[in-house]
Amino acid sequence: MTTAPAPGTGDAPTAFLDVRDLRIHFPTDDGLVKSVDGLSFQLEKGRTLGIVGESGSGKSVTSLGIMGLHTVGQYGRGRARISGEIWLDGKELMGADPDEVRRLRGREMAMIFQDPLSAMHPYFTIGHQITEAYRVHHPDADKKTARKRAVELLDRVGIPQPDRRVDDYPHQFSGGMRQRAMIAMALVNNPELLIADEPTTALDVTVQAQILDLIRDLQKEFGSAVIVITHDLGVVAELADDILVMYGGRCVERGPAEKVFSEPRHPYTWGLLGSMPRIDREQTDRLIPVKGSPPSLINIPSGCAFNPRCPYADVPAGGITRTERPELRLVGGDGAAGGGRHWSACHMAEEERARIWTEEIAPKL
Amino acid sequence: MKDHEGRDGHEDHEGHAMKIPGQHAPSDGPEALLTVEGLVKHFPITKGLLRRQVGAVQAVDGLTFDVRTGETLGVVGESGCGKSTMGRLITRLLEPTGGRVAFQGKDISHLGVAGMRPLRRDIQMIFQDPYSSLNPRHTVGTIVGAPFRLQGIAPEGGVKKEVQRLLELVGLNPEHYNRYPHEFSGGQRQRIGIARALALKPKLVVADEPVSALDVSIQAQVVNLLDDLQDELGLTYVIIAHDLSVIRHVSDRIAVMYLGKLVELTDRTSLYTKPMHPYTKALLSAVPVPDPKRRAKRERILLKGDVPSPISPPSGCRFHTRCWKATDVCKVQEPPLLALEPGHQVACHHPENAPEAAAAGTSGG
């Protein structure tokens, strides 16, 4: 079950998680916020997908959408308008009964949030919160079994003296331990899909390294599909098998992690790589930032959303970058031979992009 | 025998001459703009109606270093290591509990509001959060022009013209003079904060996490801007950050802090190529590297647990509870900050990468 993700074309789902043309829009007084606007990807069990993007690129909204956590409706303010298809293990979630989705949530798919202090209830003990998550999906289990399961998982995620700490409240845990406890809570029902939204952003570097190791080990052990959402290219490189780069609510580049890092084919990915000071390379004098700032999701630039910030916007003839939205296209024709497929959405000819990367961008990084 | 008030240069110079001759005698290069000796800040913890003091948060506990004219001193450490408190002490937003801060030879450790006022022109600060550090009710013109009003300075050509010049200097449109902070993005707001800090042509700028709240592509813009301004205006920076890649990019010398103490202080190249303190080594190895190919090859030192509480820091070397090289001597004896190599100070009983003689001298206990 670890074949490379393939694009969904037919009606039947082709992968464990198959997201097709996902659109999540929020009507507001100022206009329609198009947080996610036509996103498709596939993920197999045992694989990790890293979704990278800046704030407002739609990455967190996507994850909440998969979990079915948006309030949906046609009327009223602040209600999301969602369309598209989400297939999880052969079941379509978008049109499914909300009760059905609730049964899956927590059992088949679970989520780790960025800030464990606000994601946990301060009034209940850690143990109470983990056992609750367990007993909701195991109505037959008695308290004793559930508690045993909680202690077992706290032990697994590396909490010292789990049989004692299980009765602590969240504020008695340090930041790193809280994040471990939340991972334990997410894993209590052996979910097959785990979504981690900025799992280490609130943590210190040394603790971040511990948590990244833990997530990696747990995935090997549980064999689940994992989505890691982050703005940090370093974190993604540590964890992900495949990478999806988001910009303005759409995917601009997607492919195996090694390809995306070593042969990126989208100017925005180049910009992200050039913006980062690298500890693993020779010292450079200057960073190469992306000019301007991320677009407003109410007023996404026409054509390619990245065109106002792109240094190569004028390379394709006829101003097509400003009028026509580029679709995702395979890099290097059918790249299946290389093990995985690499996609990018850019109007520039592929040879031209390959040349710019090798001659102009890569040497300066 | 310390004279606090130093009303004019003479008295102060006498005080200065009494400097303790010690291992930490600094400056072999250009003159020191700011000298810090044995700096201590304890925040009392009080309890009960009478507010009896029951303990203290030992945020900063004996720092000795200097900042040389024209250099960038980077300060790194995890949360709770006292780096921000240190920044607030040297800008005298806080009054030290003990020790001495001297700016251009003048002792400023205990100056009052009036005594500090003339010095505020020379020492400025850039804050982390571009949202809470700008008054939302004031226009950009008022915010950036405030230093002139407070100091009673009339710039040539009027305040408005000068403010517009500053806005242009930091890459903003001078016509935005009458806009409010909410009309700007995070990166632009950080530029407003920088313009305000530079208004009075300071000599020393202390920046506390200047880019950590910004998106990756915007971070690079601000880092480059700080770099350009330093060249243009001959500024001296103290940059406090937790991100080791950013610190490496911007700093000439780097101080590593752990639980209120300096553990290592040296130039950039030595710190990143041959760190001597085990904590520095672990910190560097924990940084996620944006290169999936290196994932397998990397040798990573995983530290156990979290940073201990600064209310009751461990005895002896404060790092011994997490250090894999710790021996009995580390538990009882605090290692002094010694220059094991010219310009490379370390506080460790068992330093890494140390020259033979020095290593024998410190670890042969």
Side-chain angles (χ1 to χ4, degrees):
Chain A
M1 283 292 276
T2 51
T3 49
T9 43
D11 277 339
T14 53
F16 174 68
L17 174 71
D18 193 347
V19 175
R20 293 180 196 166
D21 199 30
L22 182 68
R23 285 165 208 270
I24 304 177
H25 297 173
F26 299 93
T28 66
D29 287 345
D30 298 324
L32 193 63
V33 177
K34 296 180 178 175
S35 290
V36 179
D37 201 25
L39 184 71
S40 306
F41 63 87
Q42 293 80 30
L43 178 63
E44 291 293 352
K45 276 169 93 171
R47 303 276 293 180
T48 302
L49 172 73
I51 300 186
V52 195
E54 295 181 277
S55 46
S57 60
K59 51 194 196 306
S60 289
V61 172
T62 303
S63 66
L64 294 175
I66 296 170
M67 294 287 290
L69 289 172
H70 290 296
T71 339
V72 192
Q74 289 296 317
Y75 309 101
R77 290 216 183 87
R79 283 175 178 261
R81 290 185 194 155
I82 307 184
S83 66
E85 290 168 41
I86 298 169
W87 292 86
L88 180 75
D89 205 8
K91 289 183 284 279
E92 210 285 310
L93 302 184
M94 203 74 96
D97 179 34
D99 287 335
E100 171 68 20
V101 177
R102 191 175 304 126
R103 268 192 295 279
L104 293 175
R105 197 187 303 137
R107 189 187 182 101
E108 280 215 29
M109 51 186 183
M111 191 151 175
I112 302 170
F113 294 92
Q114 171 173 2
D115 178 5
L117 196 55
S118 56
M120 283 186 181
H121 200 302
Y123 188 78
F124 297 109
T125 62
I126 301 273
H128 179 103
Q129 298 182 53
I130 300 179
T131 48
E132 186 189 6
Y134 184 70
R135 295 187 70 199
V136 163
H137 294 286
H138 297 83
D140 307 336
D142 57 18
K143 277 191 180 164
K144 224 173 137 190
T145 324
R147 188 186 157 90
K148 221 181 110 209
R149 174 84 181 140
V151 173
E152 186 186 307
L153 270 157
L154 286 178
D155 188 38
R156 177 62 198 87
V157 298
I159 303 277
Q161 298 171 293
D163 47 340
R164 245 191 52 216
R165 301 305 300 255
V166 72
D167 294 320
D168 278 358
Y169 290 89
H171 76 268
Q172 289 169 298
F173 275 34
S174 69
M177 285 189 357
R178 259 180 239 138
Q179 196 58 282
R180 286 171 192 269
M182 195 152 70
I183 293 174
M185 202 186 297
L187 292 177
V188 74
N189 294 313
N190 286 334
E192 302 194 296
L193 171 67
L194 183 66
I195 302 180
D197 189 355
E198 303 272 10
T200 59
T201 308
L203 305 175
D204 279 317
V205 198
T206 56
V207 182
Q208 167 171 285
Q210 297 168 1
I211 299 290
L212 292 180
D213 261 33
L214 177 66
I215 296 179
R216 202 169 24 229
D217 288 353
L218 289 172
Q219 169 169 41
K220 264 188 218 142
E221 196 177 314
F222 289 77
S224 29
V226 176
I227 299 180
V228 181
I229 293 169
T230 177
H231 68 281
D232 188 332
L233 287 171
V235 168
V236 155
E238 293 279 335
L239 285 179
D241 303 307
D242 299 291
I243 290 180
L244 190 158
V245 183
M246 282 190 82
Y247 188 81
R250 289 175 70 89
C251 169
V252 294
E253 182 155 13
R254 168 156 67 94
E258 267 132 59
K259 286 267 183 205
V260 174
F261 275 100
S262 61
E263 298 163 25
R265 286 292 176 265
H266 196 283
Y268 177 61
T269 317
W270 301 342
L272 283 182
L273 289 169
S275 298
M276 288 187 73
R278 299 275 296 250
I279 208 165
D280 59 325
R281 298 272 172 90
E282 287 294 305
Q283 181 75 31
T284 49
D285 279 347
R286 282 184 81 74
L287 300 173
I288 316 157
V290 187
K291 65 179 181 189
S293 33
S296 149
L297 293 171
I298 293 179
N299 195 4
I300 296 175
S302 62
C304 172
F306 188 58
N307 86 66
R309 304 178 75 191
C310 183
Y312 307 100
D314 291 318
V315 173
I320 186 173
T321 52
R322 290 181 187 82
T323 52
E324 204 173 301
R325 195 148 71 176
E327 293 303 321
L328 276 176
R329 276 176 300 178
L330 269 177
V331 173
D334 190 352
R341 291 180 176 202
H342 186 182
W343 301 70
S344 73
C346 182
H347 281 304
M348 269 190 286
E350 198 192 312
E351 303 75 53
E352 181 69 6
R353 280 181 279 147
R355 186 194 66 76
I356 293 175
W357 167 252
T358 34
E359 288 175 17
E360 295 178 23
I361 311 284
K364 282 195 231 153
L365 293 182
Chain B
M1 246 305 281
K2 238 197 307 185
D3 56 354
H4 289 323
E5 270 301 284
R7 252 165 297 129
D8 60 47
H10 291 288
E11 282 174 29
D12 198 57
H13 278 301
E14 278 170 23
H16 202 190
M18 305 249 342
K19 202 163 70 175
I20 318 124
Q23 300 283 4
H24 50 250
S27 65
D28 38 2
E31 59 169 310
L33 183 67
L34 184 89
T35 324
V36 175
E37 278 165 37
L39 191 65
V40 176
K41 180 70 188 179
H42 290 180
F43 294 99
I45 303 168
T46 55
K47 205 176 179 180
L49 194 62
L50 299 173
R51 303 188 62 73
R52 222 160 17 95
Q53 186 178 338
V54 291
V57 178
Q58 301 172 25
V60 165
D61 204 23
L63 299 183
T64 299
F65 62 91
D66 56 12
V67 183
R68 301 167 191 164
T69 309
E71 78 166 349
T72 301
L73 177 72
V75 181
V76 267
E78 296 180 278
S79 50
C81 73
K83 54 192 194 300
S84 288
T85 304
M86 186 280 298
R88 280 159 197 266
L89 286 168
I90 61 176
T91 46
R92 275 305 318 282
L93 297 176
L94 288 172
E95 188 172 349
T97 315
R100 185 170 180 276
V101 181
F103 181 73
Q104 293 186 312
K106 181 178 160 72
D107 188 343
I108 61 167
S109 336
H110 300 284
L111 286 184
V113 175
M116 271 310 288
R117 181 148 295 156
L119 286 166
R120 294 273 176 227
R121 292 176 201 176
D122 293 334
I123 308 174
Q124 283 289 330
M125 191 147 184
I126 298 168
F127 297 93
Q128 170 173 12
D129 184 353
Y131 291 82
S132 60
S133 58
L134 301 178
N135 188 335
R137 289 164 169 242
H138 286 177
T139 62
V140 171
T142 316
I143 290 168
V144 180
F148 298 111
R149 265 183 293 116
L150 291 169
Q151 292 279 347
I153 293 173
E156 227 176 293
V159 173
K160 183 170 178 182
K161 206 171 162 204
E162 181 64 12
V163 168
Q164 290 184 327
R165 189 189 68 81
L166 285 162
L167 290 179
E168 205 161 4
L169 183 71
V170 298
L172 291 171
N173 187 341
E175 284 156 28
H176 292 168
Y177 184 84
N178 279 320
R179 292 205 184 173
Y180 288 90
H182 76 264
E183 295 174 71
F184 294 89
S185 66
Q188 288 174 317
R189 283 174 198 230
Q190 200 57 305
R191 289 172 191 264
I192 297 171
I194 294 172
R196 173 175 62 185
L198 297 179
L200 299 170
K201 303 193 173 66
K203 296 193 175 86
L204 176 69
V205 174
V206 178
D208 189 356
E209 299 276 10
V211 297
S212 64
L214 307 174
D215 270 321
V216 189
S217 69
I218 309 297
Q219 266 190 17
Q221 295 173 359
V222 173
V223 165
N224 279 353
L225 172 68
L226 289 172
D227 212 18
D228 292 342
L229 292 171
Q230 183 168 41
D231 291 347
E232 222 166 292
L233 309 172
L235 298 168
T236 304
Y237 285 140
V238 173
I239 295 187
I240 300 165
H242 69 282
D243 186 325
L244 286 136
S245 320
V246 169
I247 280 289
R248 170 171 174 239
H249 186 84
V250 298
S251 312
D252 299 312
R253 286 194 308 147
I254 295 162
V256 184
M257 284 182 74
Y258 187 77
L259 271 183
K261 300 266 184 199
L262 273 186
V263 297
E264 187 156 5
L265 173 60
T266 184
D267 62 281
R268 171 171 70 192
T269 321
S270 323
L271 190 87
Y272 284 84
T273 52
K274 44 180 188 130
M276 288 192 190
H277 200 284
Y279 177 61
T280 314
K281 204 174 167 194
L283 211 53
L284 290 175
S285 79
V287 178
V289 171
D291 185 355
K293 283 183 189 152
R294 285 178 55 135
R295 180 157 62 188
K297 286 185 274 180
R298 288 182 62 201
E299 176 197 356
R300 195 149 69 179
I301 304 162
L302 272 191
L303 291 181
K304 297 167 281 186
D306 295 296
V307 184
S309 156
I311 297 172
S312 50
S315 61
C317 172
R318 291 184 172 188
F319 185 56
H320 84 253
T321 52
R322 300 174 80 196
C323 185
W324 66 98
K325 297 181 89 176
T327 55
D328 289 342
V329 65
C330 304
K331 287 176 194 152
V332 288
Q333 199 187 333
E334 191 185 317
L337 188 66
L338 297 174
L340 295 189
E341 263 177 22
H344 196 148
Q345 296 171 285
V346 193
C348 183
H349 290 298
H350 311 293
E352 304 259 332
N353 298 318
E356 288 300 313
T362 49
S363 62

